Amino acid sequence: MQEQMVTEIEMYDCQDVMKMLGCKQTTAYRVIKQLRKELEDSGYMSPIAGKIQKSYFDKRFGF
């Protein structure tokens, strides 16, 4: 029997985005919402509201 391997997706939350961008909470949530929409428009699912995948955020903001 083959075991399925589930990998944990690393995510940033609002507090992480606030620290990295030096912005307020409202702006951080707006950024997260926009990035999630970009992913969904590209056909990807973003399962956790209020969070964004680290890899995508880092790519978009050049971290």
Side-chain angles (χ1 to χ4, degrees), residues 28-57:
Y29 276 120
R30 191 176 307 133
V31 167
I32 291 170
K33 184 176 181 179
Q34 176 62 37
L35 294 176
R36 288 172 51 86
K37 183 176 181 334
E38 289 175 13
L39 284 172
E40 290 171 1
D41 289 348
S42 296
Y44 294 96
M45 290 180 54
S46 192
I48 303 172
K51 295 188 178 189
I52 188 68
Q53 290 88 346
K54 286 183 178 183
S55 59
Y56 188 69
F57 180 90

Side-chain angles (χ1 to χ4, degrees), residues 4-29:
Q4 291 185 354
M5 189 174 189
V6 177
T7 58
E8 184 177 326
I9 298 172
E10 295 183 357
M11 309 286 270
Y12 287 135
D13 62 10
C14 178
Q15 296 298 318
D16 297 324
V17 174
M18 287 172 59
K19 289 176 190 173
M20 291 171 38
L21 298 181
C23 63
K24 294 187 178 191
Q25 183 177 14
T26 305
T27 304
Y29 276 120

